[in-house]
Amino acid sequence: MSENQPLCALVFLTSLFCSACSQGTRFVHSAALDAEGRYNIKWGFDESTITFEVEVETRGYIGFGLSPTGAMSSSDIVIGGVLNGSPYLLDYYTDSNRKVHKDPLQSYQLLYGRENNTHTVLAFSRNLQTCDDNDKVITGSTVRVIWAFHAEDVGVSGPVYHGTNRGRKSLRLLNPGTSSSIPAGTAFFDLQNEEVPVPHKDTTYWCQIFKFPELKKKHHIIRIEPVIQKGHENLVHHILLYQCDSNLNKSEINRGHECYHPNMPDSFFTCETVLFAWAIGGEGFTYPPHVGMSIGTSIDPVYVQMEIHFDNPSLQKGIVDSSGLRLYYSPSLRRYDAGVIETGVWVSLYHMLPPGIQDFITEGHCTQECLQESLDSEMPSGIHVFAVLLHAHLAGRAITARHFRQQVELQPLASDDQFDFNFQEFQPLSQERIILPGDSLITECRYNTKGRMNMTWGGLSTRDEMCLSYLLYYPRVNLARCESLPEISGQLKFIGVKEIQEPVTTWPFVIKSPKKYSNLSFTEAMDKYKWTRKRGKAFNDIVRKLPMNVRCSKIGQEEWSIQGMIISPPELKSEQTSAAVVACRNVSEIQCERPLALLLTACLLLILQTCSHL
């Protein structure tokens, strides 16, 4: 027997064992991090560990990191590659000046690596909570992944600067969205703009009315995805699909117009019920196998309005857009019809954020009274929420859709404490949540207005703000919007306004007294007030306690009786505690608790490398 044979037999047996014990680790999620498909990742996770496989078009080093902002500074990074046939991986971090440092605690574990004539593949693992201050904790919130690569491997002096081979992409690593797979041959139709000239102004909302296909029987829409014109990925910020009055004049079909414009046709104002929402960064939504959006019956949408928000801050001229949505539909019916409820803060100038405040909190209430009246009438057993889209604009930093029953807080429907304006999509819930008559919801948004000199107003522009959560649910009921808005009088009283000019004939309305605000609109008066951080916090505390105006509207233009009532915010009990802090033990303990399969895989790699040199 050759002296190498026992060692190679050990290699064979070890590989069999590791193959058997690692069956639980599967790369069930994947993403291309760049537009050209040069940098691709796969990943899988369990309750404590996440494992990545990275494939990059290079024979040099690969950089992969987690950033708090999407920039290089204060990031958690690994750099690795394959050098002379041997894979390597090192854990780094960057300071606030973007300087790269080797992390004293090497929290990432190399599993394997290989390369061919064009590509390098690395697989590595880490704990979700590494207990290392230089590492980022991985949660269900948005994660800003940064990437880089170079044609050369890491040398003695460290990695060479990557140049333009770098980028960022926001992902939800622990809540990555729905699968895009649907049965082959599924029919679809597109709702698309046809060469719409985009005005050379900051914000444009473009509305166009379409008619759904005429069907002889009921069908279910099972997936909706964006169709964004190539090169317009940053221009098209979000798309909303509304149901219109079924008696709409047919002459309006395929007619487009700037939304919310004084000359917009009256028929466009009949399109008020949200059917679907997509926002920048999202990749579409596939309905669960037991739910679909119903089309083809007498109560289903016939005419719809597609609203596209064009974000053109650089005021480019001559842009023509043909973006839209693709809807896949099937005659194979699911058990339930889906609906959408818009909850949060009623979009209005009465929703206002002072300048220079790092943590301003806004709360939009879907009140107990609204859910009691509507669900008692429509579905006393409750509705099942299966996905949530959290929506804000540029000042948004975190959003939570909170859920209360009998004034006691339950687990949030959805939350994102690393909200990214450029990455908004429906988050499927890991477990469906039942909303009962008498429950209440609060959409809570945290904003940062540091660096802004004037008030930020609730409104349509991305420089304005919103605080909304769209709930996808079943079975469909006659409830379209469940929102609130703080009363304006208490907000004006804070800055010393005593009287407004009446009758009100202009918008925004005008202040009468005191003299320092006389003849100013209320928006000008709020801007004139000398805001400080202390005053901003005091204003925030008052606004959250003010009486609020309730919005509780049905599909179409009808309303539930609670609509327009003024009620005080409820006194709610929060029994939720923040996620338990992982007991961070010393490094040797953490290293000793690596999953057995990962340790064996690493050992196998060492043996294989040894064997290959014999």
Side-chain angles (χ1 to χ4, degrees):
M1 177 184 289
S2 163
E3 63 179 359
N4 294 338
Q5 286 179 319
L7 180 57
C8 291
L10 176 60
V11 169
F12 177 72
L13 291 173
T14 306
S15 66
L16 286 178
F17 181 78
C18 287
S19 174
C21 67
S22 63
Q23 291 300 308
T25 302
R26 297 186 302 122
F27 298 120
V28 294
H29 310 293
S30 62
L33 299 192
D34 69 318
E36 292 77 29
R38 299 172 299 166
Y39 198 119
N40 297 278
I41 67 169
K42 300 177 183 176
W43 73 95
F45 58 89
D46 58 26
E47 65 279 358
S48 61
T49 307
I50 189 165
T51 305
F52 297 96
E53 183 185 86
V54 180
E55 181 178 3
V56 184
E57 190 177 323
T58 185
R59 286 176 52 83
Y61 78 73
I62 294 170
F64 176 89
L66 310 176
S67 166
T69 63
M72 186 73 171
S73 60
S74 305
S75 294
D76 173 15
I77 298 171
V78 286
I79 300 175
V82 179
L83 181 61
N84 299 324
S86 297
Y88 64 92
L89 186 83
L90 288 173
D91 185 358
Y92 293 87
Y93 69 93
T94 58
D95 58 29
S96 58
N97 296 316
R98 300 185 298 173
K99 186 176 181 180
V100 178
H101 305 271
K102 185 177 177 181
D103 196 331
L105 299 178
Q106 293 289 301
S107 304
Y108 290 77
Q109 177 154 353
L110 174 67
L111 301 180
Y112 56 82
R114 61 180 182 270
E115 69 178 10
N116 57 23
N117 292 332
T118 59
H119 287 73
T120 297
V121 175
L122 291 177
F124 48 90
S125 177
R126 58 157 278 187
N127 288 336
L128 301 177
Q129 165 62 285
T130 65
C131 304
D132 178 357
D133 291 341
N134 296 319
D135 292 342
K136 304 301 178 193
V137 180
I138 297 175
T139 69
S141 293
T142 297
V143 177
R144 292 163 175 84
V145 175
I146 57 175
W147 58 268
F149 63 89
H150 196 276
E152 299 178 15
D153 279 293
V154 177
V156 176
S157 59
V160 181
Y161 179 60
H162 44 64
T164 59
N165 294 322
R166 69 182 191 274
R168 56 156 283 182
K169 188 179 181 71
S170 286
L171 299 169
R172 289 189 186 90
L173 294 174
L174 305 190
N175 187 13
T178 58
S179 168
S180 60
S181 62
I182 54 175
T186 300
F188 66 86
F189 59 93
D190 291 343
L191 308 177
Q192 271 185 276
N193 288 331
E194 293 185 11
E195 298 185 346
V196 170
V198 179
H200 56 282
K201 62 180 183 179
D202 182 279
T203 296
T204 300
Y205 285 78
W206 184 261
C207 287
Q208 185 160 330
I209 290 180
F210 299 87
K211 186 177 182 181
F212 272 177
E214 293 186 7
L215 302 171
K216 294 182 179 179
K217 63 177 184 178
K218 180 176 179 175
H219 287 63
H220 268 145
I221 292 172
I222 61 174
R223 175 171 170 79
I224 304 179
E225 62 189 25
V227 180
I228 307 300
Q229 182 172 322
K230 189 172 178 61
H232 289 190
E233 291 80 8
N234 292 321
L235 174 71
V236 180
H237 182 263
H238 72 247
I239 304 176
L240 289 174
L241 194 64
Y242 296 93
Q243 181 174 344
C244 303
D245 191 321
S246 58
N247 297 317
L248 199 71
N249 191 321
K250 292 183 179 180
S251 65
E252 306 288 0
I253 298 174
N254 297 326
R255 183 177 180 183
H257 201 284
E258 188 170 342
C259 312
Y260 314 110
H261 191 277
N263 296 328
M264 190 172 83
D266 291 342
S267 57
F268 282 47
F269 290 100
T270 71
C271 310
E272 291 195 327
T273 302
V274 175
L275 294 174
F276 185 75
W278 171 87
I280 190 168
E283 297 181 357
F285 185 82
T286 302
Y287 287 84
H290 55 297
V291 187
M293 182 196 296
S294 178
I295 57 173
T297 77
S298 60
I299 62 171
D300 291 334
V302 176
Y303 301 102
V304 295
Q305 180 190 92
M306 184 174 71
E307 174 189 294
I308 295 187
H309 173 190
F310 295 115
D311 188 32
N312 185 18
S314 58
L315 308 181
Q316 296 181 62
K317 297 181 179 180
I319 302 176
V320 176
D321 181 73
S322 297
S323 299
L325 295 171
R326 174 163 293 171
L327 296 84
Y328 294 86
Y329 65 105
S330 171
S332 300
L333 299 181
R334 276 91 186 279
R335 184 174 180 182
Y336 298 106
D337 295 340
V340 184
I341 302 174
E342 179 183 288
T343 69
V345 179
W346 195 337
V347 179
S348 167
L349 290 176
Y350 292 177
H351 176 205
M352 56 186 83
L353 319 176
I357 310 300
Q358 184 168 346
D359 290 295
F360 192 90
I361 305 295
T362 288
E363 294 175 336
H365 292 253
C366 175
T367 65
Q368 174 183 346
E369 291 83 356
C370 178
L371 290 176
Q372 187 79 55
E373 181 182 11
S374 58
L375 296 186
D376 264 347
S377 173
E378 295 275 319
M379 191 61 58
S381 59
I383 57 174
H384 297 246
V385 177
F386 59 87
V388 179
L389 185 148
L390 303 170
H391 182 64
H393 287 171
L394 284 167
R397 294 295 180 270
I399 310 178
T400 302
R402 301 170 66 189
H403 182 198
F404 296 83
R405 179 165 296 154
Q406 296 178 349
Q407 284 73 51
V408 175
E409 185 163 14
L410 309 178
Q411 287 290 334
L413 290 175
S415 65
D416 190 345
D417 60 12
Q418 297 293 322
F419 175 76
D420 184 350
F421 165 77
N422 293 307
F423 179 60
Q424 303 181 52
E425 64 179 356
F426 273 106
Q427 301 179 34
L429 305 190
S430 57
Q431 290 186 323
E432 294 177 356
R433 182 71 63 83
I434 298 177
I435 307 293
L436 296 174
D439 284 4
S440 62
L441 309 172
I442 297 177
T443 302
E444 180 182 278
C445 297
R446 178 167 56 84
Y447 301 99
N448 185 341
T449 61
K450 289 184 70 175
R452 298 193 178 193
M453 303 305 293
N454 295 310
M455 297 290 292
T456 298
W457 305 99
L460 301 176
S461 168
T462 53
R463 261 55 64 186
D464 296 331
E465 267 310 327
M466 292 184 178
C467 180
L468 298 170
S469 51
Y470 292 94
L471 313 182
L472 276 177
Y473 72 94
Y474 69 86
R476 179 176 54 180
V477 297
N478 195 6
L479 178 62
R481 288 183 173 90
C482 184
E483 297 165 328
S484 73
L485 190 64
E487 276 282 271
I488 186 62
S489 56
Q491 298 185 74
L492 294 178
K493 183 179 179 181
F494 180 85
I495 67 167
V497 171
K498 297 179 179 179
E499 189 177 5
I500 67 172
Q501 290 187 8
E502 293 182 318
V504 174
T505 58
T506 60
W507 180 257
F509 59 76
V510 176
I511 306 299
K512 184 175 181 180
S513 68
K515 186 176 181 180
K516 64 179 178 179
Y517 298 137
S518 180
N519 294 318
L520 296 180
S521 68
F522 81 83
T523 55
E524 292 170 331
M526 295 297 289
D527 270 330
K528 185 176 181 179
Y529 184 72
K530 296 187 182 305
W531 291 100
T532 63
R533 280 181 292 178
K534 184 177 180 180
R535 288 174 173 178
K537 185 181 184 309
F539 178 73
N540 198 177
D541 292 341
I542 287 173
V543 169
R544 294 169 72 182
K545 298 173 184 175
L546 287 176
M548 54 192 183
N549 193 315
V550 172
R551 189 179 201 185
C552 188
S553 60
K554 299 181 180 181
I555 295 172
Q557 296 180 300
E558 296 182 350
E559 303 165 349
W560 291 97
S561 66
I562 190 70
Q563 170 100 0
M565 290 186 66
I566 307 298
I567 63 175
S568 296
E571 293 191 11
L572 301 168
K573 299 176 183 177
S574 178
E575 296 188 353
Q576 293 301 311
T577 56
S578 58
V581 177
V582 176
C584 292
R585 296 173 289 276
N586 63 54
V587 178
S588 62
E589 287 179 304
I590 295 172
Q591 297 297 334
C592 290
E593 291 177 2
R594 299 291 187 187
L596 178 61
L598 301 185
L599 281 175
L600 289 170
T601 304
C603 292
L604 172 60
L605 284 170
L606 292 173
I607 296 171
L608 285 172
Q609 291 168 25
T610 304
C611 191
S612 67
H613 288 89
L614 293 175

